[in-house]
Amino acid sequence: AQAVSSNSAGTVEFVAGQDKSFYFLEMNTRLQVEHPVTELITGVDLVEQMIRVAYGEKLAFQQSDLAINGWAIESRIYAEDPYRGFLPSIGRLSRYLPPQEGTVGDAIVRNDAGVREGDEISMFYDPMISKLSTWGPDRPGALAALGRALEDLHIEGMGQNIPFLAAVMDQVRFV
C-alpha cells in the first residue's frame, strides 16, 4: 500500500504456504463483498472507516489495536436456481421475509440486502438478493446461527439458492 501511495481502506490478498510463508496476490482499493465477516469479528465498521479516510481523516486505530473475536460466516443469497445448474432466475420477489437481525441467543445475525418484497430481479443486473452473515463465539456457533437464519429467510417468486446453502450447513465435512 505504501509503495503505491494508497491511503484508503481496501483488501490485500495473499496465499499462505504450509511453512507459513505468504505470497502476494492482489490489492483491491475497495471493500470486498465479504466485509461483513471482518466487521463482525473485529467490531469495526469498515464502510464508516473508508468514508472517514476519503474525507481526509486518519484512522483512529492501528493494526495492533484490532483483535479477532469469535467466528463469522457469510452466505450470498442469489436468485440462482441450483436445480438448473445455478442459472440466474428472474422474476418478482412476491415474498421476501428476512430473518430477525441483531443478537439472537448467543449469536448475531446480519442481512445486507438491496431489495424488498415486490422488487424485480432482472437479467440485466447481478442476481444477488442479500448477504446473510452470522457471528458466533466459535465456528459451530456461527454455523448453527447461519443454518437457523437460512431456515428463517423466506423468498418466493423465483428460484434461489437458500435450499442449497441450508444443505451445505448440514454437511458433516463442511461443519
Side-chain angles (χ1 to χ4, degrees), residues 1-129:
Q2 289 174 342
V4 295
S5 301
S6 176
N7 64 352
S8 180
T11 305
V12 179
E13 296 183 18
F14 297 88
V15 171
Q18 291 287 359
D19 63 353
K20 298 188 179 181
S21 57
F22 285 84
Y23 301 92
F24 174 79
L25 287 178
E26 67 178 345
M27 184 174 95
N28 295 305
T29 55
R30 58 172 171 74
L31 291 176
Q32 295 294 93
V33 174
E34 303 84 5
H35 77 271
V37 169
T38 302
E39 292 182 354
L40 285 168
I41 63 171
T42 63
V44 175
D45 184 331
L46 296 176
V47 175
E48 175 189 355
Q49 295 307 313
M50 192 169 196
I51 292 169
R52 288 181 177 281
V53 168
Y55 187 67
E57 294 181 20
K58 299 279 186 197
L59 289 176
F61 56 87
Q62 300 291 320
Q63 183 70 39
S64 59
D65 297 327
L66 301 175
I68 294 173
N69 176 29
W71 283 78
I73 185 167
E74 176 182 299
S75 284
R76 297 182 191 180
I77 310 303
Y78 270 91
E80 293 179 340
D81 191 342
Y83 302 107
R84 295 184 13 206
F86 293 94
L87 288 172
S89 181
I90 61 173
R92 188 158 310 279
L93 280 166
S94 58
R95 184 172 187 214
Y96 178 68
L97 181 61
Q100 176 186 344
E101 290 189 75
T103 302
V104 180
D106 64 347
I108 297 172
V109 176
R110 173 176 170 169
N111 187 52
D112 294 359
V115 299
R116 62 181 177 244
E117 192 168 284
D119 283 354
E120 182 178 347
I121 305 295
S122 80
M123 66 178 153
F124 301 110
Y125 301 99
D126 185 319
M128 185 164 50
I129 295 170

